[in-house]
Amino acid sequence: MTTIRVLIADDQMMVRQGFTVLLNAEPDIEVVGQAVDGLDALARVAELAPDVVLMDVRMPRLGGIEATRRLTGPAGATVKVLVLTTFDLDEYVYEALRAGASGFLLKDASADELAHAVRVVAAGDALLAPNLTKRLIAEFSRVTSSPRAPLKDRVGDLTERETEVLSLIAQGLTNGEIAERLVLAEQTVKSHVGRILGKLGLRDRTQAAVFAYETGLIRPTGY
């Protein structure tokens, strides 16, 4: 069984220790280190090479969003960031995903939800707290009322099937769910996702979802 290596970055010691106890109780997850702020997180990631960083949003010296941007920005970066916050605010969700975070979860999540989130993000899937998704979609809709032409033009590089897969990624479907929806083999969907990321120059499916909303490929309705 592969063990997921986790680093916890939070300026509150009780939060770090609490998450450590919860995650170390899981057979497939190991907390390999803790960081007290964003700068400390950068140094610890370089030292410990974790698979996933649980990143608080508000921290001294360097906040979680900028730390996420620095961790995920370099070419070849493989660490996944799961942003954790007590602040149920749309701007944090949006900016965290724009910065390269693979998921977003509130700190009051249960132990099971936290462990599930770590596994989902480590596997390369996107994760959002369900109670944040509706407002996030509304925020994407608000800020993308006029899609930027350069981004919109890039959608033309995709085949019709790839565009269809991208739209389903943006709706939060997993590869398995997309395969069922389109009546395809899951491995075929995985191949489509890889080609989409390659053509658009994106690092993961979370960025693909952001791209889909920013280009206007997805137009939320009912909000």
Side-chain angles (χ1 to χ4, degrees):
M1 177 173 54
T2 301
T3 299
I4 302 170
R5 295 165 53 82
V6 175
L7 174 74
I8 299 172
D10 195 292
D11 60 331
Q12 298 181 44
M13 181 177 65
M14 290 184 65
V15 171
R16 295 195 307 272
Q17 292 179 341
F19 285 158
T20 296
V21 170
L22 292 176
L23 291 176
N24 278 342
E26 300 294 326
D28 59 336
I29 300 174
E30 178 188 4
V31 176
V32 296
Q34 300 180 11
V36 299
D37 57 38
L39 289 178
D40 192 22
L42 298 181
R44 299 291 278 170
V45 167
E47 174 190 354
L48 299 170
D51 301 304
V52 176
V53 177
L54 299 187
M55 185 79 76
D56 187 23
V57 169
R58 291 187 174 183
M59 293 184 290
R61 295 204 301 166
L62 186 69
I65 291 176
E66 179 58 29
T68 297
R69 186 174 291 112
R70 296 188 191 183
L71 285 176
T72 62
T78 58
V79 66
K80 306 291 186 181
V81 176
L82 177 61
V83 172
L84 290 152
T85 184
T86 55
F87 301 99
D88 185 0
L89 299 176
D90 301 332
E91 62 182 292
Y92 291 125
V93 184
Y94 184 72
E95 289 304 320
L97 295 183
R98 287 293 305 274
S102 295
F104 193 101
L105 200 65
L106 295 178
K107 286 184 180 179
D108 61 2
S110 68
D112 287 344
E113 288 172 335
L114 180 61
H116 172 71
V118 168
R119 294 185 183 105
V120 168
V121 168
D125 286 327
L127 183 136
L128 291 169
N131 58 328
L132 295 177
T133 304
K134 180 178 290 188
R135 287 196 311 283
L136 176 62
I137 291 174
E139 173 69 4
F140 274 129
S141 181
R142 182 185 68 79
V143 301
T144 61
S145 56
S146 299
R148 289 175 283 177
L151 284 174
K152 191 172 183 179
D153 289 344
R154 286 164 61 191
V155 178
D157 295 335
L158 303 180
T159 65
E160 183 176 349
R161 176 63 84 187
E162 288 166 351
T163 301
E164 193 173 14
V165 171
L166 176 58
S167 70
L168 295 175
I169 290 173
Q171 293 172 51
L173 273 66
T174 65
N175 285 353
E177 291 167 339
I178 294 172
E180 184 175 349
R181 177 78 63 88
L182 300 180
V183 194
L184 297 171
E186 188 168 345
Q187 185 58 44
T188 300
V189 173
K190 186 175 180 180
S191 297
H192 282 311
V193 173
R195 285 195 292 271
I196 290 166
L197 298 181
K199 286 183 177 181
L200 300 179
L202 305 172
R203 73 184 299 269
D204 57 28
R205 62 195 300 126
T206 310
Q207 284 197 339
V210 172
F211 176 91
Y213 283 104
E214 288 189 328
T215 57
L217 177 64
I218 296 296
R219 282 298 187 182
T221 57
Y223 300 108

